[in-house]
Amino acid sequence: TTTTTTTSSGTTSTTSSTSTTTTTRSLNYIVVVNGMITSGLSNFTVKIYNMAGRKVSTSKDVSTLRRGVYIVEVFVNRQKQFTQKISI
């Protein structure tokens, strides 16, 4: 699994199962565990887009999505915190 995170300030970090490269000290990231998006953030919401830019979900449950790559926008109190690419 490989994820790429871009924060609202424009910094980027990339995480993969074999190595981690971080260019920011922020802990803003999401992880997909057992088909659910989880995060260290409290009360966060998501908008999930396919690679064509079409919104496909606002649910943290990604178990029904087809295998592929998605862009996830993460919000707290309706304010976008960061954007992250996920592979399912």
Side-chain angles (χ1 to χ4, degrees), residues 55-87:
K55 184 166 53 171
V56 294
S57 181
T58 57
S59 172
K60 296 177 194 174
D61 181 356
V62 294
S63 64
T64 59
L65 294 178
R66 299 175 90 181
R67 293 174 68 89
V69 178
Y70 296 89
I71 303 296
V72 181
E73 292 181 329
V74 179
F75 297 82
V76 174
N77 297 325
R78 296 184 180 172
Q79 299 235 346
K80 187 163 111 175
Q81 300 298 305
F82 60 94
T83 302
Q84 182 172 320
K85 186 187 305 182
I86 62 170
S87 297

Side-chain angles (χ1 to χ4, degrees), residues 4-25:
T4 302
T5 303
T6 304
T7 65
S8 57
S9 63
T11 57
T12 302
S13 67
T14 302
T15 305
S16 70
S17 59
T18 57
S19 66
T20 301
T21 303
T22 303
T23 57
T24 180
R25 294 177 191 225

